[in-house]
Every structure is written in C-alpha cells, then in structure tokens.
Amino acid sequence: MAKSKFEYVKHFEAEDRCLPNCWIVVRVDGKAFHRFTDVHHYMKPNDERGLGLMTKAAQCVLEEFKDVVMAYGQSDEYSFIFKKNTKMFNRRASKLMTNLVSQFSSSFVFHWARFFNKQPLQYPPVFDGRVVLYPSDKNLKDYLSWRQADCHINNLYNTCFWKLVQEKGMSPAQSQERLKGTLSSDKNELLFADFGLNYNSLPELYRKGSILLRMKDTDVDRPGDKELQNGVRSLSVSFEYPSDPSSKPRINVLHTDIIGEKFWQEHPEILAG
C-alpha cells in the first residue's frame, strides 16, 4: 500500500499491549439489564431462556477465539480466560476486548429467537467489557472464586426477594426492607420456614453459574443428558452442531464448584494453557 503524508497520525494510537506471562481475562457484562429483562418479560428470579442464550453466545466466542481456555458466566455476565502465553492480536487489550464483546453481542442477538421463540427483541442489548491481568495462577483462581461467590450471594438474595413478592404479595420495597441486614443463614431459614424450600435443592445452574470448557479427547457424550424445550441443557453437556462436528470445537457446559481444589485437579489443562 502506498504511503501518504498523513500516515503520521498512526503514532497517536496508544500502545496497550498486555504484559507478558499474565493471564488475560475479558469480562463481558450486560448494560442496564434490569430494564432489558423487564421489557422482555424474563421470569424471576432466574430465566433459563436468558441463561441459556448467554451461554450460547459464550460458546460462539470459544468457537472463534481458540486461545480462550475457559469461560465462567452467571446472570448477565461472562468472563473469558485466555491462555497465559496467547499472542492473539499481539496481546493488545483494546483489540481483544472489542473483538470479543462484538462477537458475544452479535451472537446474543443472532440466537435470540432460538431461546425466546415468539418473544420479539424490543431493542438491541448492550454489553460492556473490561480487560484484567492476573500474574499468578492463584490470582486467577481467586478471581473466578469471587465471581462464583457473587453468583451464590446474588441468587440467594433474589430467590428470597421474589418469593416474598410472588408468594407473600409484598411490594418490591417491602421485600427489600424485609431482607435488609439479613445474613445468608437468615435467608436460608426464611426460605425453609416460610416456603418449605431448601436452597441447596435449587438447580446448580442458578447457584453456581456456568463453566465452559473445551472437550478433551477422552470426553464422551453422556446418554442421560437431555435438552430442555427452550434449548437450555442441564449438568455437564456438549452443544451439538448442525454441520460437521469435527470442524468446530466441542464445548462442555458444567455447573459445579470452582472455589475448591477438586475442580482444578480434575482440569489441569486449564492452567497448563
């Protein structure tokens, strides 16, 4: 390409290359999703259609970004972990973030009808993104533990909140006041005493979030896994593809604990990346 006298403006671009030998995490987060879920009639406190769509969009990211070794999602967010030594986009933070968020957002819109059927998309959803670097394996595991703990805390609160609204007839303000200052033990007791619900009996999808991993050669499909009517799968599953499955990566979706060491012992390939 011929050069011009105007090319000097390229020097104004900021150098935003991520530090070497660090885990790169890109977290995608829905913007103003409280309004989005209300307008689109999401079921409270958890909508399997919405959670399934988020996971499908994350799966599409793993298909396109081969250096993403793991993703963790809950509610309206997903975190994507790149190989520690990735060279994708020369480790430029702006390139990694904008390409990944764009892929996630477009996939969310593209697959909307598959999960919400006749419910039309009223307006385009918006997702923001951020890049965070973690220099050690412990830092990375603590980050993921933080996100899963956040999933549990929020889901426990929301389960209590909506039980009070939907089954006790409280207003949102009254429900909020009822839960003000309560501890986790208080909320568990409220669910059991007032509604006969053992919180630990709720689906792990709600309590622990979703983990996406690439299938290992030794992995096989479980014959007992079944797809729900709205496209959401339960427990450890792999998505099916309409075309040749060998042309795309197979993705496992897990709903399990990642705070303890057992998960990391069972999946050493993540940190090996």
Side-chain angles (χ1 to χ4, degrees), residues 51-182:
L51 294 172
L53 178 55
M54 289 287 292
T55 293
K56 178 60 181 176
Q59 175 211 357
C60 292
V61 170
L62 265 71
E63 291 175 10
E64 295 299 324
F65 290 75
K66 311 305 182 186
D67 279 4
V68 172
V69 295
M70 174 185 173
Y72 173 76
Q74 53 115 345
S75 186
D76 63 343
E77 70 170 57
Y78 249 98
S79 297
F80 299 91
I81 293 86
F82 283 83
K83 292 180 180 178
K84 201 170 187 177
N85 62 352
T86 183
K87 299 296 190 294
M88 184 172 281
F89 298 120
N90 291 319
R91 296 179 70 90
R92 291 186 60 185
S94 58
K95 285 281 191 178
L96 289 167
M97 181 180 67
T98 55
N99 276 273
L100 192 149
V101 173
S102 176
Q103 178 70 55
F104 187 94
S105 301
S106 60
S107 298
F108 186 96
V109 173
F110 184 81
H111 291 288
W112 173 268
R114 171 180 171 182
F115 291 85
F116 282 84
N117 299 319
K118 296 181 180 180
Q119 165 68 51
L121 191 61
Q122 299 294 330
Y123 65 90
V126 177
F127 295 91
D128 64 37
R130 70 201 70 187
V131 176
V132 187
L133 303 182
Y134 294 102
S136 72
D137 294 352
K138 182 181 185 303
N139 293 152
L140 177 66
K141 290 194 288 185
D142 285 349
Y143 167 78
L144 291 166
S145 297
W146 170 50
R147 300 321 303 146
Q148 189 168 67
D150 184 76
C151 174
H152 161 69
I153 292 169
N154 289 338
N155 186 64
L156 178 57
Y157 180 90
N158 289 334
T159 300
C160 293
F161 180 90
W162 287 106
K163 279 286 185 182
L164 292 171
V165 170
Q166 295 168 350
E167 298 187 25
K168 289 291 187 180
M170 290 187 178
S171 68
Q174 289 172 328
S175 181
Q176 186 176 22
E177 183 63 27
R178 171 65 178 82
L179 296 172
K180 186 177 181 180
T182 57

